[in-house]
């Protein structure tokens, strides 16, 4: 028997959390409703594939901000939750908009209207038997904390985040069991894209600063905030399961050349550093060596090491979309083409295809990732993002055919089954990204659709907002109903 024997006609373990994943800023809309203050994503302009989004100073009158209205879930959540229930979701991952709860971030008291919105949402989910899986910050820091305090440059923002976490843990302690602290805490390692450090940490690198030092210093405060929140959360409800959440893109060596193999190993540190600290509770030696070499000083204070050690997470959530490949010597048969895998020395992998947005399609990479993570950390894992962004068209009869998305998800679920049923990985659940069409994070587009539910809205904010089922809706409903047996 081989791993591929587990592709079909095998069920996942009972209780496996089949779900869907979203993020407040990408679908709620109501950007200033119910007392909500502006967040760092509310000043991001629209971009498109190859045209980066701009971080504007303030909300300009005549500018279009895709996240302001998004798909108006804020006013339509009952209709949408009913659709999620019809699909049979066991869990829904989403985030609590930090600036809905603390509009400026540094108030003494939280905003009751914001708290009530999530009470109503969690009640609606639980009414349909859907477990909320909640990210505390999914790139949604209050803009005031970024502007006035410099985001996580300041240790004061650690306390503001921990207070936000404590308010949420206490308010929803009987409704939410699964939590994560920071979404993709590690994507800011790619310091060449200002979008990541801004949305993750509320930080912009100034002229003449060492970008990696700025990133690591803000990262230290985020790691403290994560650890302190875990400690507070477990004191409020010891049954909470609080996870880290990392973006993961496995990095392959282009060849068996030991230089390629070692370059891939070194490059993986860009992915592992943050989860290493959140899972193990201490800074890895490869990072300490980098700080020494580069003269990077981390704002470590007495007691920080103890906090990191005590505040380790219960599980590792992660996003998986694609893999990338690196080559130590770029001057040979790849004619120096640098593939937009987001890494220096990255090259196209000749064995796999890519999506229209250039994201490599690699289901085996997900099985590989599950094994690498489980071997490294030996704690439960949770795939909280996986999906296929593509253009979808509505036919004259109202049907929407998305065979590419079904193929992508089917092949990745087959990889998940092999990792769990053949390799023995402990996996809590699988929540495909963008269960309903939402605003793309990197481009601000609606055109890059992930959903199994279509939303009539375009890149410029036009459309009826009508929800429509794609072919993948019924396909995924059957996957869940059969606990993964029917793919
Ligand atoms: C991850 C984010 C999600 C989501 C996803 C897809 O980085 O955690 O918020 O957006 O990327 O990316 P995009 O929306 O740009 O296609």
């Amino acid at each position: 028997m081989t791993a591929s024997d587990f592709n079909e006609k095998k069920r996942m373990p009972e209780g496996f959390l089949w779900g869907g994943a979203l993020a407040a800023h990408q679908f709620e809309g109501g950007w200033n409703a119910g007392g909500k203050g502006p967040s760092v994503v509310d000043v991001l302009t629209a971009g498109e594939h190859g045209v980066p989004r701009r971080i504007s100073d303030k909300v300009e009158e005549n500018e279009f901000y895709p996240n302001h209205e998004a798909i108006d879930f804020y006013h339509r959540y009952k209709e949408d939750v009913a659709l999620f229930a019809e699909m049979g979701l066991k869990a829904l991952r989403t985030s609590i908009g930090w600036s809905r709860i603390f509009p400026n971030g540094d108030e003494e008291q939280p905003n009751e209207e914001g708290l009530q919105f999530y009470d109503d949402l969690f009640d609606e989910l639980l009414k349909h038997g859907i477990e909320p899986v909640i990210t505390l910050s999914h790139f949604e820091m209050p803009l005031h904390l970024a502007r006035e305090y410099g985001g996580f440059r300041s240790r004061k923002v650690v306390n503001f985040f921990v207070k936000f976490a404590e308010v949420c843990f206490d308010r929803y302690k009987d409704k939410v069991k699964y939590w994560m602290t920071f979404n993709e805490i590690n994507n800011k390692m790619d310091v060449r894209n200002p979008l990541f450090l801004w949305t993750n940490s509320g930080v912009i690198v100034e002229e003449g600063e060492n970008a990696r030092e700025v990133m690591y210093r803000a990262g230290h405060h985020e790691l403290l905030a994560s650890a302190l929140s875990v400690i507070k959360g477990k004191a409020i409800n010891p049954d909470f399961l609080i996870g880290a959440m990392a973006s993961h893109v496995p990095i392959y060596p282009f060849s068996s050349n030991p230089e390629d193999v070692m370059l891939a190993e070194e490059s993986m540190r860009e992915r592992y550093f943050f989860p290493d600290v959140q899972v193990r509770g201490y800074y890895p030696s490869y990072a300490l060596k980098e700080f020494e070499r580069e003269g990077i000083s981390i704002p470590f204070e007495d007691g920080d090491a103890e906090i990191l050690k005590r505040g380790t997470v219960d599980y590792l959530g992660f996003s998986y979309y694609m893999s990338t490949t690196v080559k130590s010597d770029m001057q040979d048969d790849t004619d120096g083409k640098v593939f937009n895998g987001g890494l220096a020395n990255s090259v196209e992998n000749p064995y796999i295809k890519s999506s229209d947005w250039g994201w490599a399609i690699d289901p085996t990479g997900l099985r590989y990732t599950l094994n690498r993570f489980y071997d490294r950390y030996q704690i439960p894992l949770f795939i909280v993002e996986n999906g296929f962004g593509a253009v979808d068209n509505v036919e004259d009869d109202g049907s929407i055919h998305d065979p590419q998305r079904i193929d992508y998800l089917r092949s990745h679920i087959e990889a998940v089954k092999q990792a769990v049923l053949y390799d023995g990985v402990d996996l809590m659940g699988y929540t495909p990204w963008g269960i309903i069409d939402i605003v793309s994070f990197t481009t601000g587009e609606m055109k890059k659709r992930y959903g199994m539910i279509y939303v009539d809205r375009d890149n410029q904010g036009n459309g009826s907002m009508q929800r429509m089922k794609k072919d993948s809706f019924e396909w995924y409903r059957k996957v869940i109903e059969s606990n993964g047996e029917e793919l």
Side-chain angles (χ1 to χ4, degrees), residues 25-270:
H25 73 93
Q26 291 175 256
F27 78 126
E28 284 182 0
W31 77 287
N32 56 2
K36 175 180 172 293
S39 71
V40 291
V41 280
D42 288 326
V43 292
L44 293 184
T45 60
E48 59 183 32
H49 185 36
V51 178
R53 305 182 76 175
R54 206 164 26 82
I55 305 167
S56 58
D57 280 343
K58 58 186 183 350
V59 174
E60 308 285 350
E61 278 316 302
N62 55 2
E63 185 98 51
F64 173 63
Y65 294 90
N67 300 84
H68 284 194
E69 206 185 359
I71 62 165
D72 194 32
F73 177 81
Y74 185 76
H75 298 104
R76 301 162 186 258
Y77 73 92
K78 291 193 176 179
E79 168 196 355
D80 289 341
V81 170
L83 282 169
F84 300 156
E86 194 184 331
M87 203 190 271
L89 296 193
K90 308 288 185 202
L92 181 76
R93 179 203 174 204
T94 186
S95 58
I96 291 176
W98 186 351
S99 63
R100 242 188 240 294
I101 311 303
F102 286 95
N104 286 329
D106 58 3
E107 295 90 344
E108 275 306 309
Q109 295 306 321
N111 169 35
E112 177 53 32
E113 265 193 279
L115 289 168
Q116 191 56 52
F117 170 68
Y118 292 104
D119 256 325
D120 297 343
L121 171 58
F122 299 154
D123 290 345
E124 198 67 21
L125 289 170
L126 293 168
K127 189 173 86 179
H128 290 285
I130 300 173
E131 280 287 349
V133 177
I134 299 305
T135 315
L136 285 167
S137 184
H138 196 126
F139 306 156
E140 294 147 350
M141 176 184 287
L143 183 62
H144 178 71
L145 294 185
R147 292 270 184 260
E148 289 305 307
Y149 295 83
F152 273 113
R153 282 178 186 269
S154 161
R155 201 173 175 105
K156 291 192 179 116
V157 177
V158 174
N159 305 329
F160 295 139
F161 177 82
V162 174
K163 181 172 182 177
F164 160 60
E166 227 178 327
V167 163
C168 294
F169 288 147
D170 191 53
R171 174 78 172 228
Y172 309 119
K173 61 179 174 295
D174 301 321
K175 298 180 180 177
V176 180
K177 173 181 176 182
Y178 301 97
W179 299 88
M180 277 165 277
T181 53
F182 291 97
N183 179 70
E184 294 200 337
I185 189 170
N186 61 334
N187 72 5
K188 56 176 168 285
M189 291 294 272
D190 179 3
V191 291
R192 292 166 305 163
N193 185 340
L195 188 69
F196 296 143
L197 198 52
W198 172 249
T199 55
N200 232 293
S201 316
V203 171
I204 289 180
V205 178
E206 304 296 340
E207 195 64 38
E209 285 190 306
N210 170 343
R212 277 183 83 82
E213 179 169 42
V214 171
M215 178 275 294
Y216 275 122
R217 292 176 65 85
H220 179 68
H221 289 148
E222 270 180 76
L223 287 166
L224 282 178
S226 178
L228 286 165
S229 303
V230 170
I231 295 165
K232 298 271 185 190
K234 303 296 261 190
I236 290 170
N237 183 344
D239 294 335
F240 278 170
L241 290 176
I242 306 174
M245 196 291 187
S247 155
H248 196 69
V249 178
I251 301 164
Y252 299 150
F254 183 74
S255 75
S256 54
N257 172 351
E259 293 305 314
D260 287 354
V261 175
M262 196 53 224
L263 177 61
E265 191 55 36
E266 255 186 71
S267 306
M268 286 289 273
R269 293 168 182 170
E270 296 290 290

Side-chain angles (χ1 to χ4, degrees), residues 26 138-139 183-184 321 359 385 433 440-442 448 450:
Q26 291 175 256
H138 196 126
F139 306 156
N183 179 70
E184 294 200 337
Y321 291 93
W359 290 18
E385 288 184 30
W433 178 251
S440 157
F441 164 56
T442 48
K448 186 181 185 187
Y450 283 89

